[in-house]
């Protein structure tokens, strides 16, 4: 079967490495604060500055968060893992090495699965390891000079590495979105991509179908899903161009320039042996007792995949709706509250994915900041479900609520005169008039022309100035015409 994902006859292979900044109050090996945005070097203590005689001390909260991820992705949480020194020189790395995990990481294996369109994909994880972040070089703030800010030095990171399992930029982006949603769901990372709390490196190669893996280039530090997609798409075309021109791909680290939409080689890639990894003699092995793992397991929230399954089984949502409703914990809570209050799961999901998310996106708001709360949305949906108002009228009420109307849903329906005409006496009076005025349509209907029925319903709707409850008009008219 031809592979529909082939691009110019090549198969794309992608593996992602993601740095998630762990949401601890203090750094991974020191007591300095990790809060974002402080004045340069005000949050760098002696350990972060690598002053002689200082020693690192493991932050338990960082390990806790690594265990949470490990359990959530079904990985093995290593009972013993090792911190190593990754040696390299850079001005924002005063120790001359980064403390990371190399041969024995804390999280081993696991997988993340998600829907891409209506197909379920699973991406296997190789590992997730704990490490410290480096400082920042500030090139723009000082003319002709570079400033060094060590506030970020020692910030805890969890680097999550996938197997080369992805076959398109769309798949890579969906995986990254799923991981992003998961780390926030677990409360281990704030997910703020602008501030660099969640950044991805994409390893990309291409090959002829069936051939061994091609040589990869690694696009560094992608901090938005849109850039990730653009960067990978550009990179694929660039690599195929190279190969078609008879040139070999050189393993390299590249940067994506959002202004030009291009990737450009930054340096040829180091190999692991260039870093002279060795176990850090300042830190004992990280030992995680089974009791610790069980305590973390007991504290985990219901996971998004399990919750989505529950929404399918108990609420009758489709797989895509269920995944949408579990994009974030606050959204899932909103959905559940509105569903319980209205008993209308499908309508709640539709409104959340439609009107509500449209407004939230346009105003760059999170669901927590929605001016229309779960109880109010449920009240509105209740009035659609019981036939009081039409969908169209509901949208008008929603608009008013979103704009800050402080009255209740029912008061708004009343004030705007949006109530559907459901009183059968009143409706029958209108129907009588319409039938009397449209004898031709009545005859046609009786002669077997179904369209004539719709025309008559249309006349009733018109006569009621759009307020008649269409379902009821249909029923009454059917009864009348026999
Ligand atoms: P390093 O640590 O040097 O970056 P790894 O071998 O640990 O290298 O792999 C890093 C990432 O590159 C992983 O996500 C892996 O799945 C991915 N990867 C490895 N080989 C390829 C390849 N040929 N094409 C695309 N991705 C690859
Ligand atoms: Mg790498």
């Amino acid at each position: 079967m031809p592979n529909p994902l082939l691009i110019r006859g090549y198969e794309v292979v992608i593996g992602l490495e993601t740095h998630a900044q762990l949401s601890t109050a203090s750094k991974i090996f020191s007591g300095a604060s990790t809060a974002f945005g402080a004045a340069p070097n005000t949050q760098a203590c002696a350990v972060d500055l690598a002053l002689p005689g200082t020693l690192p001390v493991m932050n338990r909260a960082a390990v806790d968060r690594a265990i949470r991820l490990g359990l959530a992705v079904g990985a093995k949480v290593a009972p013993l893992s090792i911190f190593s020194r990754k040696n390299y020189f850079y001005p924002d790395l005063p120790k001359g090495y980064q403390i990371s995990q190399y041969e024995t990481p804390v999280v081993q294996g696991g997988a993340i699965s998600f829907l891409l369109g209506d197909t379920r994909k699973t991406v296997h994880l190789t590992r997730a390891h704990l490490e410290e972040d480096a400082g920042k070089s500030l090139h723009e703030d000082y003319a002709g000079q570079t400033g060094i800010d060590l506030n970020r030095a020692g910030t805890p990171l969890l680097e999550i590495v996938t197997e080369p399992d992805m076959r398109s930029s769309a798949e890579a982006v969906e995986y990254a979105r799923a991981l992003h949603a998961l780390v926030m769901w677990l409360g281990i990372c704030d997910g703020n991509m602008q501030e660099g709390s969640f950044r991805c490196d994409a390893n990309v190669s291409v090959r002829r179908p069936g051939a061994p893996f091609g040589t990869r280039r690694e696009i560094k530090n992608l901090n938005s899903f849109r850039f990730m997609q653009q960067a990978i798409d550009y990179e694929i075309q660039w690599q195929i161009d190279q190969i078609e021109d008879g040139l070999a791909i050189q393993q390299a680290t590249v940067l994506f320039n959002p202004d030009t939409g291009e990737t450009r080689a930054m340096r040829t890639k180091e190999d692991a042996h260039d870093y002279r990894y060795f176990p850090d003699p300042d830190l004992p092995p990280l030992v995680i007792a089974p009791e610790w793992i069980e305590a973390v397991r007991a504290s985990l929230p219901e996971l998004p995949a399990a919750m989505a399954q529950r929404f399918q089984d108990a609420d009758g949502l489709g797989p895509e709706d269920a995944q949408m409703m579990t994009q974030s914990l606050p959204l899932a809570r909103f959905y559940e509250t509105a569903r319980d209050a209205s008993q209308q799961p499908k309508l709640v999901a539709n409104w959340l994915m439609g009107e509500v998310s449209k407004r939230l996106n346009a105003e760059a708001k999170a669901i927590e900041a929605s001016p229309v709360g779960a109880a109010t949305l449920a009240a509105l949906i209740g009035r659609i479900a019981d036939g009081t108002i039409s969908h169209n009228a509901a949208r008008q009420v929603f608009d008013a609520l979103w704009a800050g109307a402080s009255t209740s849903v029912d008061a708004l329906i009343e004030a705007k005169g949006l109530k559907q005409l459901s009183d059968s006496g009143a409706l029958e009076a209108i129907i009588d008039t319409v039938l009397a005025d449209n004898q031709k349509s009545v005859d046609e209907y009786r002669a077997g022309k179904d369209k004539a029925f719709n025309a008559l319903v249309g006349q009733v709707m018109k006569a009621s100035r759009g307020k008649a409850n269409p379902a009821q008009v249909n029923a009454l008219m059917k009864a009348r015409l026999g």
Side-chain angles (χ1 to χ4, degrees):
M1 201 180 79
N3 179 346
L5 293 176
L6 289 188
I7 295 182
R8 294 161 65 189
Y10 289 83
E11 182 183 47
V12 175
V13 174
I14 304 169
L16 287 189
E17 297 165 277
T18 302
H19 287 94
Q21 183 177 316
L22 298 175
S23 56
T24 57
S26 62
K27 294 190 179 172
I28 185 166
F29 301 121
S30 83
S33 167
T34 55
F36 183 83
N41 299 308
T42 55
Q43 290 175 176
C45 71
V47 174
D48 310 324
L49 295 171
L51 297 189
T54 56
L55 286 170
V57 177
M58 183 75 229
N59 180 345
R60 193 183 164 89
V63 180
D64 227 81
R65 284 163 176 72
I67 299 173
R68 283 172 89 76
L69 180 92
L71 293 176
V73 299
K76 172 183 171 191
V77 176
L80 186 149
S81 60
I82 307 285
F83 285 101
S84 291
R85 291 185 180 180
K86 181 180 183 179
N87 297 282
Y88 66 96
F89 171 80
Y90 207 75
D92 60 23
L93 188 73
K95 289 200 299 296
Y97 60 86
Q98 177 194 23
I99 304 177
S100 183
Q101 294 191 305
Y102 181 55
E103 275 154 345
T104 319
V106 60
V107 172
Q108 304 173 2
I112 291 188
S113 75
F114 50 88
L115 284 178
L116 185 64
D118 49 15
T119 318
R120 180 155 292 280
K121 297 275 173 195
T122 297
V123 170
H124 296 91
L125 302 183
T126 314
R127 57 192 277 156
H129 62 255
L130 285 163
E131 63 182 25
E132 59 179 346
D133 208 345
K136 264 187 202 161
S137 298
L138 308 171
H139 301 293
E140 274 136 38
D141 308 9
Y142 309 94
Q145 293 182 317
T146 292
I148 300 289
D149 177 8
L150 292 173
N151 282 353
R152 203 180 62 183
T155 297
L157 301 177
L158 190 63
E159 178 171 345
I160 303 149
V161 183
T162 76
E163 293 289 297
D165 276 358
M166 288 152 278
R167 294 292 174 269
S168 68
S169 58
E171 231 174 277
V173 168
E174 259 340 280
Y175 158 80
R177 283 188 188 280
L179 178 63
H180 183 249
L182 181 65
V183 294
M184 292 200 292
W185 187 285
L186 296 171
I188 65 174
C189 170
D190 69 18
N192 190 324
M193 296 178 81
Q194 278 90 50
E195 292 178 3
S197 301
F198 186 93
R199 42 193 207 262
C200 296
D201 305 337
N203 295 268
V204 180
S205 66
V206 298
R207 63 171 173 184
R208 289 293 187 186
F213 282 151
T215 303
R216 70 193 152 105
R217 303 212 309 165
E218 178 176 358
I219 315 167
K220 277 283 180 198
N221 276 331
L222 296 164
N223 66 354
S224 95
F225 298 120
R226 196 161 54 88
F227 290 165
M228 178 184 292
Q229 175 115 32
Q230 290 174 357
I232 294 174
D233 286 339
Y234 177 86
E235 181 63 25
I236 292 167
Q237 297 296 341
W238 185 89
Q239 290 189 15
I240 296 175
D241 284 346
Q242 279 301 98
I243 295 170
E244 294 282 300
D245 286 345
L247 300 168
I249 305 293
Q250 274 218 331
Q251 193 170 331
T253 300
V254 308
L255 282 183
F256 174 66
N257 180 343
D259 297 328
T260 61
E262 297 176 358
T263 53
R264 175 179 258 164
M266 182 164 76
R267 50 182 151 92
T268 54
K269 168 92 184 154
E270 294 82 2
D271 283 318
H273 64 249
D274 295 325
Y275 289 117
R276 294 290 185 270
Y277 278 102
F278 66 90
D280 192 323
D282 288 343
L283 284 159
L286 173 60
V287 173
I288 301 176
E291 297 76 42
W292 189 357
I293 297 176
E294 289 321 307
V296 173
R297 197 192 302 280
S299 77
L300 282 182
E302 182 183 22
L303 297 175
M307 195 182 274
Q309 191 60 51
R310 182 159 62 78
F311 291 169
Q312 288 185 55
D313 297 344
D315 299 352
L317 295 190
E320 282 170 80
D321 288 0
Q323 174 163 300
M324 296 296 279
M325 290 305 101
T326 50
Q327 264 177 348
S328 77
L329 206 47
L331 179 66
R333 296 277 174 259
F334 192 110
Y335 164 79
E336 288 196 301
T337 308
R339 174 206 60 195
D340 289 347
S342 68
Q343 295 297 317
Q344 299 290 333
K346 184 70 194 158
L347 275 178
V348 172
N350 285 347
W351 273 79
L352 280 174
M353 286 186 298
E355 222 60 30
V356 177
S357 69
K358 202 168 79 194
R359 297 305 197 96
L360 291 174
N361 288 342
E363 296 175 26
K365 279 192 173 124
I367 185 77
E368 299 94 307
S370 169
V372 179
T376 309
L377 185 67
L380 182 61
I381 284 171
R383 289 296 174 247
I384 301 171
D386 70 11
T388 307
I389 50 173
S390 66
H391 278 89
N392 183 47
R395 259 192 295 279
Q396 296 177 47
V397 177
F398 181 80
D399 286 349
L401 291 166
W402 193 278
S406 57
T407 34
S408 71
V409 165
D410 285 343
L412 276 168
I413 293 172
E414 201 62 51
K416 290 178 173 289
L418 292 171
K419 222 179 204 158
Q420 295 193 115
L421 201 48
S422 296
D423 161 23
S424 36
L427 282 179
E428 275 180 54
I430 298 178
I431 289 173
D432 282 342
T433 319
V434 167
L435 292 182
D437 291 352
N438 294 275
Q439 192 56 48
K440 194 166 152 254
S441 296
V442 174
D443 293 343
E444 282 174 3
Y445 174 72
R446 295 225 154 100
K449 252 179 100 182
D450 285 346
K451 263 200 193 140
F453 185 80
N454 297 338
L456 289 167
V457 171
Q459 288 298 323
V460 175
M461 294 306 293
K462 199 172 151 198
S464 74
R465 272 178 260 105
K467 286 199 186 143
N469 178 336
Q472 211 173 343
V473 171
N474 263 283
L476 289 171
M477 189 92 92
K478 278 242 162 72
R480 178 64 63 89
L481 291 173

